[in-house]
Amino acid sequence: MSEMKTPDARAEIPDPMIDASLRLPLLALFGGAAFWLVVSSVLAMIASIKFHAPDFLAACPWLIYGRVQPAADDALLYGFCIPAGLGVALWLVAQLGQAPLRGAIVPVVAAKLWHLGVLVGLIGILSGNSTGFAWLEFPRAGSVILFFAYLLLALWAMMNFAARRERALHPSHWFLVAALLWFPWTYSTANLFLVAWPVRGVVQGIIGWWFANNLIFLWLALVGVGTAFYFLPKFSGRPLQSYYLALFAFWTLILFGTWCGIPPGAPLPAWMPTLSSVAATLTVVPVLAIAIIMWKTLRGPTSGCNITPAPLSSLSANEVGGEGRGEVASLSLNSNPLAPSPLPAQAGRGSRQQSQAAPPTNCEPKGGPFCFIRFGFASFVLSSLMFIAMACPRISRVTEFTWFGPAQTQLQLYGFFAMTMFGAIYHLLPRVVGVELPFPKLARLQFWLSMSGVLLFIVPLAIGGVEQGMKLNNPGIAFMDATNAMLPFLRTSTVGLLLILLGNLLFALIFFAMTFVWGKSLLKKAHAIVTAPLKNQEVKA
Amino acid sequence: MKNGFWIFIAVFLALGGSWCGFVLAPELQLGGAKQTTVLNTSDVYPVGRPGEATQGSSVYRANGCAACHTEQVRQTGMTCGVTLTEAGKNPQAVTNLISSLVLINLTKEAADAASAKITAGGGKTEIHITATGPDIARGWGMRQSVAEDYLYDQPVQLGSLRAGPDLANAGARADANWQLLHLYAPKSEVKGSAMPPFRYLFEVRKIGREPSPDALKLPPEFAPPAGYEVVPRPEARELAAYLLSLRANAPLYSAPISP
């Protein structure tokens, strides 16, 4: 029972050394991630416009649909999601373990290497050198770079984990450390058996599905849920409800989730899709357990609205928030000299209505990191349920091969994972860089753009996908009619992509504005150092 | 869980389990698969694709055709029918027998039973198996796709979205000329097609001393200006050859149909 209390009762000592030690690695990881995020939405936009005008950019082989679409997907997954997830994991591991990162130069180099790998991979896809496997399209050169960059980053995170001063494990630890170990195994298996020494025939398909499921469903779930398990208790001012439920969710998620992914209609011996469908059905258990944990953590009596657009002040406001007081208050203690004075406490009153989408009062519950993470969490539950539904043979008969699948993937990648990462980054970046979030209102605007964008993208595609599936299952309806019926939905989703593109541009703008302000302050400091001795000499003279 | 060791054990158990189940076991079961024989014949299946088609598979991969096209036919069931091939020595009795039996839209068991009754009456029968399902009704194939169909594909490009029709049997539906015209100007062959044109696989060039025999015969609204002709580049030919090689209709033990 002792460990049941430790994770949340721990006193996190505000250690500027920890944040400072992570500064350069995180800037390298997030900087490239912000860039690829914009690239991915531009590519996705180009792909989507082709459904309005098939001739659009058709003369240029680099920009045809079959290359641009996988490039957009991979830029989002490998360019943004994984480096952002690794960055947040590095920060969380250091924060939870109260140990500064040593030898930060290695993760900086690894981050640059990772983004180089993404560049090589994307050029490979666009120039027609894709491997042809979904989510593994990067040609060999790109995959090798990615793999070693990941190993270095994960190794440093693990070393930091091993060197932690706070020995008790937080539930976030399980999820994040498991994710760190998960990727090298799946990625190397897929690359060795599909690209380097390809297995024969349909086994390629099986390994491809296994890999995609373990990366997109499981790796993202581990990192995203691990992140949310750290942040939501902080924002709500209540401990995670509860330790044992989280343990149960962790075990069931990795035990069942890893077997999902083989579609029921696959041309395989029947035991494989059947086993996968059973595993997917069982995955309802961890998804519901995680939903219950979140619900109980957020909806308790002491949960308060303590979110402001500027995350630093949000934590200060949290001081009065209730049970989480000890850790949170200590965190907000001048860990950042630029932090504004705490805002008037908003906590403890009207918590329920404010944590819903109530009209913004002066505490502005929308747009803070909390809203990103809360929306991300809701998307996690919904996208996981969609994923599980698609593994059910009855439903799969309709949704397989339709736009329902891409809608689910987008909800998983963007609605759940990217949104959770946005929230985490908006929270941790000001601390790490030591600069206040420059345009808090823009961050709020980004939340609205990204949220409505992802909804406008996935809702039409999911509904249209079901309709398309029912039409395809009726041989009386010509194929062309079923396809054309999809066009209005596809065209609506373009609007969603446009909003996502704007949201991503805002994110990149905020990020680079912050690094710019930081760089300027660095220059000022350097300038001060350079000019200071001169002045002294003048005074002496 | 008190320390990192337990997380490592958890990952090892969970991921190791699914690795054995979905990487190792399928490789052991299917990785050594060899050619099989077409049902009731001695023909082997599948036969490798001709060289040009193998190169075309790589054009198909490079241009991401699998982003919109699947190569797998689904089947929801099958029906059997019993046909009398020989009436035997006592045609009248067999005829009476047949009129008392249902001989179409049967399950396999019912068809076997009916066939056994007729055979006992002295007649000879054949059982016809037909696959059913929307994909088959659309003419995308005669039977479902099975693991054997992909034995020689590298990479296996099953696809996951049908923005365009399934191509598992594209070779059985159209000829090379149609494929080339359709690649150059999809709308010339399929009215309202949403497929982007792949013009960069073709060369539009001035007609030399005499027109090339390979030049596409395009309808006027898609034709190049007078004095020019559209000639497929090698990639276009290879892709067309690959599409023509896509046939997965052979009756197999794992997917029985009557030819």
Side-chain angles (χ1 to χ4, degrees):
Chain A
M1 286 303 278
S2 64
E3 72 266 32
M4 187 180 167
K5 281 180 182 172
T6 36
D8 289 300
R10 72 181 56 196
E12 275 172 23
I13 310 143
D15 192 347
M17 285 296 294
I18 296 177
D19 282 332
S21 72
L22 285 159
R23 185 177 297 148
L24 291 176
L26 293 198
L27 282 180
L29 279 168
F30 296 154
F35 174 72
W36 292 124
L37 184 67
V38 174
V39 169
S40 112
S41 47
V42 169
L43 291 173
M45 214 38 214
I46 294 175
S48 188
I49 290 174
K50 289 173 191 275
F51 286 101
H52 301 251
D55 285 358
F56 176 69
L57 294 178
C60 174
W62 282 57
L63 293 176
I64 55 164
Y65 182 81
R67 297 186 190 179
V68 167
Q69 183 59 52
D73 289 342
D74 283 355
L76 181 58
L77 177 66
Y78 293 100
F80 179 77
C81 291
I82 295 181
L86 283 173
V88 171
L90 270 174
W91 185 81
L92 284 175
V93 167
Q95 210 55 239
L96 289 168
Q98 289 292 295
L101 191 71
R102 285 177 206 287
I105 183 73
V106 175
V108 172
V109 172
K112 302 275 180 203
L113 206 59
W114 176 276
H115 291 304
L116 175 73
V118 175
L119 178 70
V120 170
L122 287 181
I123 290 177
I125 296 178
L126 293 178
S127 63
N129 290 305
S130 142
T131 64
F133 296 105
W135 302 107
L136 200 69
E137 287 97 345
F138 285 176
R140 205 180 301 186
S143 314
V144 169
I145 300 177
L146 288 186
F147 183 70
F148 285 105
Y150 185 98
L151 280 191
L152 282 179
L153 285 162
L155 191 66
W156 249 247
M158 292 302 281
M159 274 161 48
N160 187 244
F161 172 69
R164 67 191 186 280
R165 289 194 293 224
E166 169 65 61
R167 295 308 295 179
L169 291 188
H170 187 281
S172 291
H173 269 133
W174 314 330
F175 287 84
L176 295 172
V177 173
L180 288 175
L181 299 169
W182 212 266
F183 181 86
W185 193 339
T186 50
Y187 198 64
S188 59
T189 296
N191 272 297
L192 289 178
F193 292 151
L194 296 182
V195 184
W197 296 285
V199 293
R200 264 177 29 158
V202 84
V203 185
Q204 291 180 3
I206 307 167
I207 295 178
W209 283 312
W210 175 83
F211 162 73
N213 169 63
N214 276 293
L215 182 57
I216 294 177
F217 178 66
L218 218 60
W219 193 90
L220 295 186
L222 286 172
V223 176
V225 171
T227 306
F229 275 5
Y230 173 83
F231 279 108
L232 288 174
K234 276 224 176 312
F235 291 144
S236 72
R238 283 166 57 81
L240 201 63
Q241 310 280 324
S242 65
Y243 178 89
Y244 286 110
L245 195 53
L247 187 63
F248 174 74
F250 172 73
W251 270 100
T252 45
L253 179 68
I254 60 170
L255 277 179
F256 302 147
T258 179
W259 291 85
C260 304
I262 295 185
L268 300 174
W271 68 267
M272 298 176 199
T274 310
L275 189 58
S276 207
S277 295
V278 171
T281 314
L282 289 171
T283 307
V284 174
V285 173
V287 170
L288 288 185
I290 290 166
I292 291 168
I293 293 169
M294 291 302 179
W295 185 262
K296 283 168 78 177
T297 306
L298 286 180
R299 283 312 178 95
T302 55
S303 100
C305 168
N306 34 39
I307 300 308
T308 62
L312 287 178
S313 31
S314 82
L315 269 189
S316 309
N318 209 349
E319 260 180 275
V320 214
E323 288 173 33
R325 193 168 45 84
E327 54 183 306
V328 175
S330 61
L331 240 188
S332 66
L333 278 177
N334 290 335
S335 63
N336 184 335
L338 294 170
S341 57
L343 286 187
Q346 300 292 336
R349 69 167 167 84
S351 57
R352 289 221 159 182
Q353 129 219 9
Q354 281 178 3
S355 61
Q356 285 167 353
T361 56
N362 54 353
C363 85
E364 292 173 318
K366 294 169 186 172
F370 176 49
C371 296
F372 279 102
I373 291 179
R374 196 180 43 177
F375 178 80
F377 163 68
S379 301
F380 169 75
V381 175
L382 184 62
S383 71
S384 302
L385 292 178
M386 279 166 81
F387 180 71
I388 291 162
M390 283 165 70
C392 168
R394 244 162 215 261
I395 299 171
S396 163
R397 219 167 282 157
V398 178
T399 57
E400 198 185 14
F401 306 143
T402 69
W403 284 96
F404 191 84
Q408 189 273 332
T409 312
Q410 185 76 6
L411 188 61
Q412 185 111 27
L413 282 176
Y414 198 90
F416 157 53
F417 195 79
M419 292 297 263
T420 307
M421 289 302 118
F422 291 146
I425 290 172
Y426 281 139
H427 171 91
L428 65 87
L429 203 58
R431 289 171 168 73
V432 167
V433 182
V435 176
E436 187 64 28
L437 209 58
F439 314 108
K441 285 206 170 141
L442 283 191
R444 202 169 60 170
L445 182 62
Q446 196 229 324
F447 172 72
W448 283 105
L449 283 173
S450 294
M451 186 195 71
S452 40
V454 79
L455 289 179
L456 257 179
F457 183 83
I458 67 121
V459 172
L461 285 192
I463 295 173
V466 172
E467 192 186 321
Q468 180 196 15
M470 294 200 294
K471 287 198 164 143
L472 286 181
N473 276 350
N474 178 355
I477 297 172
F479 179 77
M480 191 56 78
D481 293 341
T483 307
N484 286 341
M486 197 57 215
L487 285 179
F489 295 103
L490 277 166
R491 288 171 184 169
T492 317
S493 77
T494 311
V495 181
L497 277 178
L498 185 65
L499 294 179
I500 289 178
L501 171 64
L502 293 176
N504 292 350
L505 278 172
L506 272 184
F507 175 77
L509 177 75
I510 293 168
F511 178 85
F512 289 116
M514 258 178 107
T515 44
F516 179 72
V517 171
W518 171 70
K520 225 172 68 178
S521 72
L522 215 62
L523 275 182
K524 263 187 194 164
K525 260 186 219 162
H527 184 70
I529 291 167
V530 169
T531 51
L534 274 178
K535 275 179 189 166
N536 284 347
Q537 279 168 357
E538 275 173 10
V539 170
K540 273 182 188 172
Chain B
M1 292 200 294
K2 281 179 190 161
N3 58 44
F5 177 72
W6 287 104
I7 306 179
F8 182 80
I9 293 292
V11 169
F12 188 79
L13 283 179
L15 190 53
S18 82
W19 191 88
C20 290
F22 282 161
V23 177
L24 192 61
E27 172 61 17
L28 292 177
Q29 184 181 358
L30 301 169
K34 297 202 170 60
Q35 284 172 318
T36 167
T37 51
V38 177
L39 210 57
N40 300 330
T41 68
S42 56
D43 301 347
V44 288
Y45 181 86
V47 285
R49 298 185 200 287
E52 201 179 26
T54 307
Q55 286 166 315
S57 158
S58 143
V59 179
Y60 188 91
R61 167 191 58 73
N63 292 297
C65 303
C68 292
H69 295 282
T70 53
E71 285 183 11
Q72 40 177 329
V73 177
R74 296 180 299 178
Q75 169 180 337
T76 50
M78 60 179 186
T79 61
C80 296
V82 182
T83 331
L84 187 70
T85 50
E86 238 176 79
K89 287 177 188 160
N90 192 350
Q92 190 54 46
V94 173
T95 315
N96 290 341
L97 187 61
I98 285 174
S99 60
S100 70
L101 291 170
V102 181
L103 296 177
I104 51 165
N105 286 333
L106 299 170
T107 62
K108 184 77 175 66
E109 291 73 28
D112 283 340
S115 170
K117 276 185 195 162
I118 297 170
T119 315
K124 281 192 179 166
T125 60
E126 255 177 25
I127 297 179
H128 286 265
I129 304 173
T130 318
T132 56
D135 289 4
I136 286 149
R138 281 186 191 282
W140 285 344
M142 289 164 69
R143 60 159 171 85
Q144 66 181 345
S145 298
V146 288
E148 289 88 328
D149 296 330
Y150 307 95
L151 190 62
Y152 290 129
D153 286 357
Q154 178 56 42
V156 174
Q157 304 180 73
L158 293 163
S160 62
L161 180 67
R162 281 179 179 166
D166 186 90
L167 298 180
N169 286 290
R173 297 203 290 269
D175 61 5
N177 188 42
W178 187 93
Q179 295 291 5
L180 288 171
L181 288 170
H182 184 248
L183 283 172
Y184 180 77
K187 287 195 172 73
S188 71
E189 301 303 306
V190 180
K191 219 179 160 198
S193 168
M195 183 169 114
F198 288 82
R199 287 196 200 111
Y200 60 88
L201 298 177
F202 297 82
E203 191 185 353
V204 181
R205 65 181 186 202
K206 250 196 178 123
I207 299 178
R209 218 171 292 157
E210 53 186 69
S212 161
D214 297 332
L216 297 188
K217 291 168 189 68
L218 287 155
E221 63 266 42
F222 299 96
Y228 286 82
E229 61 184 0
V230 179
V231 184
R233 291 180 198 275
E235 295 94 320
R237 280 175 203 291
E238 289 160 7
L239 183 54
Y242 172 68
L243 292 170
L244 285 186
S245 77
L246 287 171
R247 279 163 200 267
N249 275 337
L252 301 178
Y253 178 75
S254 50
I257 47 162
S258 301

